[in-house]
Amino acid sequence: MPNLLTRRLALLTEDANRALLGGLRGIERETLRVDHAGHLASTPHPAALGSALTHPEITTDYAEALLEFITPAEADIAVTLAKLDTVHRHAYSRLGKELLWSQSMPGELPAEQDIEIANYGSSNMGMLKHVYRRGLALRYGKAMQCIAGIHYNYSLDEGLWQLLAADAGTSATASTSAMDVQSESYLATIRNFRRYSWLLMYLFGASPALASGFLRGRPHKLDTLSGDTLYLPYATSLRMSDLGYQNDAQSGLRPQENSLDDYVNALTQAVNAPYAPYAELGTKQDGEWIQLSTNVLQIENEYYSTIRPKRVIRTGERPIQALCLRGVQYIEVRCMDVDPFEPVGISLPTGRFLDTFLLFCALDESAPISNEQSACYTANFARTVKEGRKPGLSLRRDGEEISLQAWGQELLARMAPVAALLDSRHGGTEHADSLAAQAVKLLDPDATPSARVLRELRANGGSFAAFGLQQSERHAAFFREQPPTAEQSTYFDQLAAASLAEQRAMETAPQASFDDYVASYRASTLCSHT
């Protein structure tokens, strides 16, 4: 009998089922605003870009200077990237002399007190977002709030899950709804992502070095590349290493991906479990809110995972509440570094590869993960981000050591029919071509983005800040040479005006006290369940 992946591929090759390979793709790209010297911009979020609180496509993330561009969800990643390109062109037409930083890791940063936390105005919702970020600054430091990444939002046609469930004889029944089938299928996809996501870090990691000031004097085991730059010789993504968004409070937190209930329960426990060092600080200082709670997590989004099950939330609703009520709608891949050689931070071939990789994760067998296996997958990932290009590096699989290259080549071979299936639907060979491009990197570590970054650094004096500024200037010239069309400018200006009006309306409307608002949010009573 053919294995599950082979059987499912055969099922989807049938003409009647090929349309189910659709689904949606969206990208969230984070990027710091910097001045002409590459220093963090000290200006507030530009009013010409609209309200960071209510604009659907242009907002901020943690720091006030950390822009986040959000594309609409599209059926083809090529369309998604075209829209991301347009957002960049519009932003540059409104940024004056400021630049968008080209790297995941920030360049030279000011003192902690001079890094502005993102502001969202005086409404209760705006203050909730701001106080949450105050809490992050307290827990992790403000430098961490200047790290940028690419988030890849991915969904498959809802009919696909029903088809696969029917084929397996586990389709929706009186006791198992279509929503449950879909949620558990996405959780199975996430389990496979955990098994194999080290491969993404090897192929696309692009942060092997960082500005030495980023660490703020913290102990580390990095090597010195130059007077202002630290690195590891075989690292692929220091952003995703233990130097990134992690701390002791989160170290024992391992939400289980074996079922949606397990996942939700683990996060629910974390947002309700007191953590003594945070309790000592309290939620207020001199009457001012400094964090939303003194628990392990203030809210569930604080859990810094490489991938999340997601559901579009309603106003005032909590993410885990949405998952409980309506199930998983899509997954968010969060481990991708910004590609410093691509103006929008990610290339189309990378998108095609991600589509292939994620569909492979969705279709392949995905057994539950034991605690021991989970620790193994975490270790493989950690080893790859710090030593991925090390000659002879091995990872652990099924209790045995296997070379990264050999395992990677096996995975690409298993993905090949998935790429062919996608190409048969789209026409052309783009998915197969993207696999071939990654195969080159497995044979030659020098072909990886992380190796290229180190070559560029060494060729230019070894300064990470200088390299980042050089790439930022190149990207700025690329976007400024072809400004948005009048129609595109009008579209974004109208969005900006509408978002500012919406924020003003929120701020002038009668509001409960902020203390009551926080209490209601924490009790998950702000939204209607109808």
Side-chain angles (χ1 to χ4, degrees):
M1 183 176 176
N3 67 34
L4 185 65
L5 177 63
T6 303
R7 194 170 80 240
R8 286 176 163 180
L9 285 168
L11 191 64
L12 290 167
T13 304
E14 297 174 13
D15 291 342
N17 299 329
R18 198 170 294 173
L20 297 177
L21 290 168
L24 297 171
R25 315 285 176 266
I27 288 179
E28 300 161 37
R29 189 261 162 108
E30 300 161 343
T31 175
L32 284 171
R33 289 184 293 112
V34 299
D35 65 17
H36 64 91
H39 299 153
L40 193 70
S42 58
T43 51
H45 182 69
L49 294 181
S51 163
L53 178 65
T54 54
H55 197 296
E57 296 185 39
I58 301 174
T59 182
T60 54
D61 205 317
Y62 299 136
E64 179 72 356
L66 186 60
L67 284 170
E68 183 174 6
F69 300 149
I70 304 167
T71 71
E74 302 290 347
D76 189 338
I77 186 57
V79 178
T80 306
L81 288 174
K83 295 206 169 181
L84 185 61
D85 178 90
T86 302
V87 179
H88 281 75
R89 293 184 193 281
H90 171 72
Y92 263 112
S93 74
R94 299 291 183 269
L95 279 177
K97 293 182 178 179
E98 289 181 352
L99 303 169
L100 301 177
W101 190 244
S102 59
Q103 314 288 313
S104 273
M105 300 304 291
E108 187 179 330
L109 290 173
E112 286 281 300
Q113 66 268 22
D114 295 326
I115 297 176
E116 191 73 22
I117 296 168
N119 256 307
Y120 299 96
S122 60
S123 70
N124 280 337
M125 182 185 290
M127 282 304 300
L128 186 89
K129 289 170 71 77
H130 178 69
V131 171
Y132 166 58
R133 285 155 177 78
R134 285 183 187 172
L136 294 178
L138 201 67
R139 295 167 176 221
Y140 308 93
K142 289 185 181 177
M144 293 290 182
Q145 301 197 54
C146 298
I147 298 174
I150 295 280
H151 296 174
Y152 198 85
N153 296 316
Y154 176 87
S155 71
L156 284 163
D157 191 298
E158 294 187 2
L160 175 73
W161 305 120
Q162 301 310 313
L163 174 72
L164 299 183
D167 178 65
T170 58
S171 52
T173 64
S175 59
T176 308
S177 68
M179 180 185 87
D180 293 334
V181 168
Q182 179 170 309
S183 292
E184 296 310 321
S185 299
Y186 275 122
L187 266 292
T189 305
I190 287 171
R191 291 196 295 275
N192 275 337
F193 183 92
R194 288 275 329 276
R195 291 179 172 102
Y196 307 132
S197 53
W198 58 265
L199 180 62
L200 297 180
M201 306 322 297
Y202 175 84
L203 297 174
F204 303 110
S207 55
L210 47 79
S212 51
F214 172 79
L215 293 177
R216 305 300 208 214
R218 286 161 57 199
H220 64 83
K221 295 180 180 178
L222 303 181
D223 297 342
T224 298
L225 188 64
S226 69
D228 68 355
T229 301
L230 300 170
Y231 82 117
L232 284 176
Y234 302 115
T236 62
S237 177
L238 294 179
R239 165 180 164 262
M240 293 306 301
S241 75
D242 53 6
L243 298 172
Y245 240 109
Q246 297 182 28
N247 69 0
D248 290 341
Q250 285 202 32
S251 61
L253 181 57
R254 293 283 180 272
Q256 292 296 317
E257 305 92 344
N258 290 337
S259 74
L260 184 58
D261 283 347
D262 287 348
Y263 181 86
V264 166
N265 288 340
L267 285 183
T268 300
Q269 186 175 347
V271 297
N272 289 292
Y275 185 63
Y278 299 159
E280 286 178 23
L281 298 168
T283 54
K284 290 184 180 179
Q285 203 168 69
D286 300 326
E288 284 280 313
W289 280 85
I290 57 171
Q291 55 181 341
L292 292 176
S293 81
T294 59
N295 297 332
V296 172
L297 302 178
Q298 299 174 87
I299 60 176
E300 50 271 36
N301 279 355
E302 188 177 337
Y303 175 58
Y304 195 72
S305 54
T306 57
I307 187 169
R308 286 179 181 163
K310 296 287 289 262
R311 158 68 59 178
V312 173
I313 60 173
R314 297 168 181 166
T315 302
E317 188 176 40
R318 299 183 66 150
I320 46 177
Q321 191 180 3
L323 288 173
C324 286
L325 292 172
R326 301 186 301 284
V328 183
Q329 184 179 16
Y330 64 99
I331 50 179
E332 178 191 36
V333 173
R334 300 168 51 80
C335 61
M336 299 295 287
D337 281 349
V338 173
D339 185 338
F341 304 105
E342 289 292 327
V344 300
I346 180 173
S347 71
L348 179 57
T350 298
R352 297 292 188 208
F353 181 84
L354 282 171
D355 283 352
T356 305
F357 179 84
L358 292 170
L359 183 58
F360 166 74
C361 288
L363 298 179
D364 197 28
E365 186 75 54
S366 183
I369 295 175
S370 69
N371 289 336
E372 182 182 13
Q373 288 169 329
S374 181
C376 176
Y377 303 152
T378 299
N380 284 342
F381 190 92
R383 190 177 296 181
T384 304
V385 298
K386 282 191 167 181
E387 302 182 288
R389 288 177 288 105
K390 186 176 183 179
L393 181 71
S394 64
L395 303 177
R396 196 148 188 85
R397 183 179 72 177
D398 299 330
E400 297 180 350
E401 297 289 317
I402 180 172
S403 82
L404 181 149
Q405 269 72 23
W407 194 0
Q409 286 165 351
E410 278 184 33
L411 285 172
L412 291 188
R414 296 187 65 210
M415 281 185 247
V418 179
L421 181 65
L422 288 170
D423 282 336
S424 72
R425 182 176 185 271
H426 284 265
T429 59
E430 286 188 67
H431 296 88
D433 293 345
S434 73
L435 248 64
Q438 306 322 312
V440 172
K441 297 178 188 176
L442 281 168
L443 292 172
D444 179 12
D446 285 343
T448 59
S450 53
R452 185 180 174 190
V453 167
L454 288 180
R455 278 198 305 277
E456 295 267 353
L457 282 172
R458 290 192 172 102
N460 290 280
S463 170
F464 173 76
F467 168 67
L469 180 58
Q470 171 189 287
Q471 292 302 110
S472 302
E473 289 171 337
R474 285 177 177 169
H475 298 166
F478 172 80
F479 290 121
R480 285 174 172 152
E481 282 167 8
Q482 191 179 339
T485 64
E487 183 182 9
Q488 289 167 341
S489 292
T490 298
Y491 168 78
F492 281 106
D493 287 342
Q494 287 174 345
L495 277 185
S499 69
L500 290 167
E502 186 178 351
Q503 179 176 331
R504 281 193 299 272
M506 292 169 67
E507 292 172 350
T508 55
Q511 298 187 93
S513 75
F514 185 64
D515 288 21
D516 289 345
Y517 185 86
V518 174
S520 295
Y521 183 83
R522 293 197 59 219
S524 299
T525 58
L526 284 178
C527 74
S528 166
H529 290 205
T530 56

